[in-house]
Amino acid sequence: MITIGQLASYAGVTVKAVRVYHARGLLPEPPRDASGYRRYTAEDAISLVKIRTLAEAGVPLARIRDLLTADPAAFAAAIAEIDRGLARKAAGLRRSRERIAQLSGGDRLFVSDEMAAFLGRLREIGVSARGVQLERDLWILLQSVSPAQAAVWFADKQDALADPEFQAIYREFDAAFCWPADDPRLPALAGRAHRWLAARAGPGTEAARAAVPAQDPAVTELIQSSAVLSPAWEKLAGLGRELRAGESGPAGPS
């Protein structure tokens, strides 16, 4: 007859673990002797070794009691089922580790590699950290809620970024975020951007955009509501609308 401490030592577990197994009904709890101590037998030690082995193998405690009394066929089937569950968990952990490893890549945790390279290009041409973050956050949302539309817009943005004039306009728009709404440079910037867009517009661009299915109005509203605007950017947006309206409106008197 051995004490609980000896039992735990022989089986390679802690006394606390033995008590947990008692509480879970995996190991019968013997009565106390005349001295008030519980005394265990060799059979208890063997059972405890079996419990420890199954637990260390990843078998849930809730399944161990049935396995201890199962016949060979039932035992093999249960172990196979548990192994499949562990394999699924292992695959999930591997995917999680891969995502965690991407943390060192910064933007690549949130967007595609192609998009991360695009954001890196924005930094290279002198766009501020604030501007890059605003762009990144918008693409995170857009690529999630409307991948087809995002693909068209992204291809268009990449193509535009190859133009030095667009790069200059982009940098000036980025700087204008902090300008006052009545800054005299805003009308000139709006005009410059409008002329660039008018010169660039063509059948190919419009055809590509038309090929994308109509977007859910709720998605459009969500994306628009996510845009971060400053007073100067709101002024630029208004100036742009005025310029477009002026071109599409009826001709005035000669």
Side-chain angles (χ1 to χ4, degrees), residues 41-215:
T41 65
E43 184 179 353
D44 293 323
I46 293 170
S47 296
L48 185 55
V49 170
K50 291 179 179 179
I51 294 168
R52 185 209 68 201
T53 302
L54 291 171
E56 289 178 348
V59 177
L61 293 184
R63 302 291 304 276
I64 289 179
R65 181 194 294 180
D66 292 337
L67 289 179
L68 290 174
T69 58
D71 61 52
F75 184 90
I79 289 296
E81 178 189 349
I82 292 168
D83 183 63
R84 288 191 293 271
L86 291 174
R88 289 191 294 270
K89 290 181 180 179
L93 287 173
R94 281 195 298 272
R95 290 192 295 270
S96 296
R97 290 194 65 196
E98 289 170 0
R99 297 293 287 172
I100 291 297
Q102 292 175 5
L103 281 170
S104 60
D107 294 329
R108 282 176 170 79
L109 180 65
F110 306 106
V111 296
S112 65
D113 288 346
E114 190 177 24
M115 176 57 66
F118 170 78
L119 297 175
R121 179 63 179 141
L122 292 182
R123 296 185 184 94
E124 290 174 3
I125 68 172
V127 177
S128 68
R130 179 205 63 247
V132 173
Q133 181 177 341
L134 291 177
E135 182 97 25
R136 183 199 65 183
D137 289 349
L138 181 61
W139 285 113
I140 289 172
L141 178 62
L142 186 57
Q143 287 186 328
S144 177
V145 300
S146 186
Q149 184 68 69
V152 172
W153 285 351
F154 181 55
D156 185 62
K157 198 69 170 286
Q158 282 187 305
D159 181 70
L161 198 63
D163 185 344
E165 173 65 5
F166 177 79
Q167 294 180 20
I169 293 172
Y170 196 115
R171 284 192 296 268
E172 193 169 1
F173 260 85
D174 182 42
F177 184 89
C178 300
W179 296 354
D182 58 352
D183 193 293
R185 294 171 290 182
L186 292 175
L189 176 56
R192 184 181 183 184
H194 179 74
R195 289 190 297 273
W196 184 87
L197 288 169
R200 183 170 181 266
T205 302
E206 295 303 323
R209 290 174 178 168
V212 179
Q215 188 164 288

